[in-house]
Amino acid sequence: MSSARDGAPGWAARPWLAGWWLAGGVVGTAVQLLQAHLWPVAVYQVLALGGLLAMRWRLRAAWLLAGAALAFGCTGWRAGAYLGQGLSPALEGRDIAVVGRVASLPQTGPGGERFEFVVEQATLDGEAVSIPARLLLGWYVSASEEGASARLPGLWAGERWAFGVRLKRPHGSRNPHGFDRERWLWEQGIGATGHVRLGARDAAPRRLGQTPWHPVDRVRQAISRAIAERVDDPRAAGVLAALVVGEQSAIERADWALFRDTGVAHLMAISGLHITLFAWLATALMGALWRVLGRHWPALPMHCPAGLAAGWGGLACAAAYALLAGWGVPAQRTVLMLAVVVGLRASVRRWPWPAVWLLAMAAVLALDPLALLAPGFWLSFLAVAVLFTADPARGGTGSDAPGGWQRGLRAAGALWREQWLMTLALAPLGLVLFGQVSLVGLLANLVAIPWVTLVVTPLALLGALVAPLWGLAAAAVDALVALLQVLAAWPWAVLHRPAVPAPLALAAVLGGVLLAVRLPPVLRFAGLLLVAPALLYVPPRPAPGAFDVTAIDVGQGSAVLVRTAKHALVYDAGPRWNPEADAGERIVLPLLRALGVQPDRVLISHRDSDHAGGADALRAAFPGAVWQSSFDADPARRCLAGERWQWDGVDFELLHPGAAAYAAPGLSSNAMSCVLRIAAGGQVAWLAGDIPAAQEVRLALARPQERATLLLAPHHGSATSSSPVLLNTLQPRWVIVQSGYRNRFGHPAAGVVARYDARGIAWVDSPRCGAATWRSDAPEAMRCEREVSRRYWHHPDRPMTSSAGPELAILPPGEKDP
């Protein structure tokens, strides 16, 4: 390549040079997304300008760096501008009067409706205030209250409303390998979350009328309600609503589990596959129509060839379908990819497929940089790359087939081959991203892909025009579900594996590609060798004679994982939020699977729902575990003071409740909490449930010489617990407070925090620390997930309550707060 410094020719004329620039853009975006904190906006502006200037050199390295600098600078610049529009901490928890409009398809669940809201006006005590333009709100009524559903407003997209809200900045649980809710909210452009105020002292919400805004969402909502009224089977109605208007929340939780286990979950929501096939069908129909019109108006194809008209027409239809589906991020990515391909085909130049692939990837990231962190992004682009790599000559017409039935056989063979390639190549990536692989996925998809895309989806879409067709579509869904249930019943239908380190993950993905593409057998065998370490990986465990304790971030509730060298115990299962969602299934179970943990024992301290709400999900997942609690009807399964056991050199002992407590009448569930003591190598941890001060004092007086390194704060740091007697006796180095962000109970109480600080006890809480992990072989350290995996879109460290506490998420014992 020439190193001349004169202006480079059009980049479209040099696809490989442009490819380096596009690859640099992808790398620059990825590096910027790794930042824990944003730099000053001026730095990003200088980098973006430098990237533009570097394109003057026609060197591959220069264009690679130019693309990286431009993407890094633009992504950071945009992030800084968005961050500046966030909710002020001073406005959190205040009653703010807002006027605005419903900006999404409302989701109705147990006890309320959830919706996005675009703010037009906001006032606090009569004064205008600045709040984020887009909110995620809940309109809640008590699910147990008579006539609760009738009290819901029945919101419609585009309606203008005036009501009071109470807001907080985006915040979610932070656990290893867990869902990043704060990133999702950032990606959706939601600057604050909250709920509509419906108290007796609050002004009544007022509907101000319908606006012309959000007409597509109104159509989507009307179709969704029509499906629910027309189709009696809730399962089929949910699938049809998801396929037609993208309402994935309509699919029940158990059905999502079935679809995941059989590897067809990607078909049950409007994905890139649906939109691409819809575009292909629309392109074929548009081409045929254009040729028919050309016979009557010969000048028409002269001005616009049939291929060009078909391509742009198919793209327009795909965009319309994506809009009907809610214009979600996956739909946006697919339409943009199709637009890039159609645009290049319409040009006079032909790019090699890697350059087209990189251009589509860079275009998607320019629209949404955070798409790089979405599993669907990598699944989509890897699938396309594998298909082109495995068959560079794809795209032929197949006109050399001598007969119709032979063409059909060839098409069926091509479908089988492509599905096999996709399953083989994407299985390692699916294992890395989701921790599971459906072993029946190939068979299930061979049936489900043509059935859903060619039968269910067309019938569901046409049902919007001819409603009786929804009945046929529902019958097709039921038939498919029956087959999937048979496949899911196979004992080895799903392979679960723990999360693997990044190097092994990259090797596994590369191995999957090598197995799928056309290469000599030796190289394919090398691909198998690259995949094997990820399949055989076993996460590190404590050494014999040591243990670790992970206080899982479940919000306002409790769930703790204790691991030894070869055993594991789960203490409490987290809260139940509503009849359809609990922390056991959403948080605890995914974490256990990601860590490769099969608990030997599950101990539920007491019956309160913030401790026992997720127990059913864990019981179903681990039926072989030993279960104990303080409220089991079977006395043999109750925790009883004095019970001891040892695992791998680690001693476990139950301290409370004793037989007298079970015999005593009138004790609260908190007072009956199971208290567990764990000891090894001179280090002791106490897990105390919700015991109040009276029980704390009895335990402390019974063990005056007892000392503990770690204490799980009793009752989440409530003012009725963490008594001076207990703290003076145990003298813990660390206290972990499991509590929810801005919880209504004020946990941890200011008085309790003052007791910790006065005694020099280091403490962390869930809102600022996330999942907290302490190890008996490194007792001076506390690992906070929110700190070690911090990104700039995450909630800041400083607490939003008046409680005193450590400034940092990780604070060595005895060190004073800055």
Side-chain angles (χ1 to χ4, degrees), residues 511 514-515 518-530:
L514 292 178
L515 286 171
R518 291 180 175 178
L519 291 173
V522 173
L523 292 179
R524 289 196 169 189
F525 181 72
L528 186 61
L529 294 179
L530 289 173

Side-chain angles (χ1 to χ4, degrees), residues 332-552:
Q332 295 176 28
R333 289 199 299 262
T334 304
V335 172
L336 193 53
M337 289 177 62
L338 291 173
V340 169
V341 173
V342 171
L344 286 174
R345 287 192 172 185
S347 68
V348 296
R349 300 181 179 91
R350 298 295 179 183
W351 280 22
W353 76 261
V356 177
W357 184 76
L358 279 172
L359 177 58
M361 182 179 290
V364 168
L365 294 180
L367 176 69
D368 176 24
L370 286 175
L372 191 71
L373 304 178
F377 177 89
W378 294 107
L379 290 169
S380 300
F381 279 100
L382 183 62
V384 173
V386 167
L387 285 177
F388 276 110
T389 304
D391 187 6
R394 60 185 287 105
T397 62
S399 58
D400 56 338
W405 66 272
Q406 291 163 316
R407 284 196 297 270
L409 288 178
R410 177 171 295 185
L415 175 64
W416 167 266
R417 180 174 179 273
E418 290 188 0
Q419 184 56 42
W420 166 246
L421 288 177
M422 289 298 96
T423 301
L424 193 62
L426 298 183
L429 181 58
L431 185 68
V432 167
L433 294 175
F434 308 115
Q436 70 176 58
V437 173
S438 174
L439 301 182
V440 297
L442 175 61
L443 179 59
N445 277 282
L446 281 174
V447 177
I449 287 178
W451 188 253
V452 172
T453 55
L454 301 179
V455 178
V456 178
T457 302
L459 287 173
L461 289 172
L462 291 173
L465 302 176
V466 184
L469 292 180
W470 280 331
L472 295 177
V477 170
D478 292 337
L480 177 63
V481 168
L483 173 63
L484 296 179
Q485 288 173 333
V486 173
L487 295 176
W490 187 40
W492 294 96
V494 184
L495 173 66
H496 291 282
R497 296 299 302 158
V500 300
L504 296 185
L506 292 174
V509 173
L510 177 60
V513 173
L514 292 178
L515 286 171
V517 300
R518 291 180 175 178
L519 291 173
V522 173
L523 292 179
R524 289 196 169 189
F525 181 72
L528 186 61
L529 294 179
L530 289 173
V531 173
L535 289 173
L536 302 176
Y537 174 74
V538 177
R541 298 287 290 261
F547 67 98
D548 62 27
V549 177
T550 298
I552 305 170

